[in-house]
Amino acid sequence: MKNLIITVSAMERSLPFLRNFVAALFATCVLTWGVSTVFADDPPPDQTAETATNPPSEETDSSVDEDSTQRPALYLKIRSPLGDAQFARVRNAALNLQSEAERRGQSGVLVLEITPGTSPFYQVQGLARFLTSTEVSSVTTVAWVPEDVTGNNVVLALGCREIIMHPDAELGDIGRGAPLDKEEQGDVLSLVRKGHNPKVSEAVALKMMDPSVSLLKVKYRETKDAPPQTEVVTSENLRSLQETKTTVEPRTLLDAGMKGVFTGKTARDWDVLVTQTAESRADLADLYDLPKSALREDATLGGELKVRLLRIDGVIDGPQAAFIKRQVQRAIGQGANLLVFEVDSPGGHLDAMQEIAYTISDLDRETVRTVAYVPRDAISAAAVISLACDELYMQPHAKIGDAGPIELRPGQAFEHAGEKIVSYMRKLMQELAEKKNRPAAIMKSMVDRNLEVYEVKNRDTGAVWFMTEDEIHASNGEWIRGAIVPESRKELLLTINGTEAHKYKLAEPPVADESELKERLGVPPDQKLIPMEETWVDSMVFNLNNPAWTGTLLTLAMICLFIELHFMTGVMAIASALFFALFFWSKYMGGTAGWLEVILFVFGLILMALEIFVMPGFGVFGISGGVLLLMSVVMASQTFGHSEPGRDMVLLARNLTTVSLSIGAVILIAVVLNRFLPHMPIMGAMILTPPGSPLTADGPQLRPDLINDGPGADLVGLAGKAQTTLRPAGKALLDGRLVDVVSDGGYIDTGTPIEVVRVEGNRVIVREA
């Protein structure tokens, strides 16, 4: 083993190399990251999906099979302030929907989400006038008010044929505490008088525009024997009724001085303003018997359709999660507004699944439309990823579900995870369900085999949904329980096909193949959905993250370092830095490493250099540097804090094994090199040795043996000369023997007389005589 120990003098000669090695490592890291950034973001042109040259018409947006009975529908969000571009977008969408409705002979549905904010009165009044015109007579315009709306934007709601509000949302106070200008009041009343929305009377509109008006609900009879009628009026209208009708019974709704604001629940109770109330878009879809996809704003609406196909197949792990994130970023960077994820996978790791699911679900649905397409199977983690998309299309016999978490136990046995992980998965499913308007109970039954789900019907609207027993109980009778969903019975993790997924409101109606999928998405038939394939950078990342390649990189890096310490040509230093840089780069691109690991690695090298050249002692710096190097390599190879129990320890054991095998391989190769390299004709001549160094009978060695009988006490007091420059380490000739020494002071020139002052372990410490 003594031939494997690199001597202090050899390290001294390698000090310039260490400086160059660290610089080369940083330079190579920067260069490698720069190259990867350039090439990773620009896949080859032949791997990019084709782009439509003409904007899709709204007739393809409803995502409804034309053979079905579903009405054509569109969903648009009115953002504040309303400008000319948005005005034109709404107008064009409504006209296209009108054409489609006439062609089908059906009534179209245009849902406008009215958002808070302020807009110029002339803009909202102009758009409201268009919505009440005969140009869109075949379109039912619906104002959807999910949150509080006051100011001029209220006029848009009054211009729609129907208003649907969230029970707790407020609508009204057009003048925001002050009476609206008389001319503007006249414009609003002219809209109301068209009678498009029978729930909006002139009295209600006046109260919204002028807080000084009193609003009353009056019960009266035309004659004494006539049936009673009800009407919402102002105080002025009340006097007129009292003069012309009999048995007038007024009830004050809003007194003078109160703002004309109505909540959804209040308006429903008073039978004014709203047709129905709804708590979500899913409820809204049920009210009009529309697919949920019809109530998602299409990012491609009114613009150029740019579609990209991304495939998720095989086992879902960390490198694939990082790959999918890169693919999504590339697609969006290329201007894609429709991402189709073709999913065919048996599942994978929880953390990788969560990373992909959040990457997809967090995309802005107003700029990017996400679609999952399952031709065969989306099981376990793949099911969760599919449900993170805005829309889900499946072939009739494709499978989705069985997403219950499992743990790997000793002996490579799998078993269901404990309640802690199951509870975490339930929350994840609940979050995705709320984001994408899907039944949370159905999704949670995919991960919890003890969760039973029932079909329920709304007591007031008759809408059908799916809930657990606890959710039904919490509704206080609003939802009436029906039959249990058979696939959710206890001890079963819900797994269903494409037809059942549509029945349970998870997916759109099934598609037979990719051609039908394109038709439903509005993609032109002649446009090919070419998947975004791996670039050479992606392939390199996948390969280098394989444990075998990881171990090879580390082994090559350390061997090059070992050889450089004896040849000092600089070539091997660059190669070693390149291998280390490739290691950290591959881990960074694989999602397990960052700059912290690189900094720890370089700091470890600095500590080892300090131990050798600056502060020789008990090895504190050397040991600390070695620990940091090991930590940086392990930390770069994995992330800690996995949700899966025991996952951290499994990865840690695997990575430590890889590092240990690499070190063992380096030791073995070093033994071979140490034995045979000095005897090779060219290599032997290149090995550095001190001037005047005695050679053994067998020829030159990588390290001359340290001659020290016993504990080294016989060397203390010996005088000699420095055979090399001591900075502070080098070689000295003591009593005819060549010995590795360390200066007790500073710099000592070659040939300077010296004497040994003490021996500490294998360190012989000298000073000038």
Side-chain angles (χ1 to χ4, degrees), residues 36 218 248 251 295 376 382 406 408 540 579 650:
S36 69
V218 179
V248 178
R251 178 167 66 94
L295 295 188
R376 284 174 292 275
I406 57 176
L408 181 62
M540 180 179 289
F579 286 131
V650 170

Side-chain angles (χ1 to χ4, degrees), residues 672-681 683-685 687 699-702:
V672 175
L673 290 177
N674 200 46
R675 180 174 179 83
F676 296 105
L677 194 61
H679 302 286
M680 298 176 65
M683 298 299 180
I687 297 175
Q701 297 180 353
L702 292 180

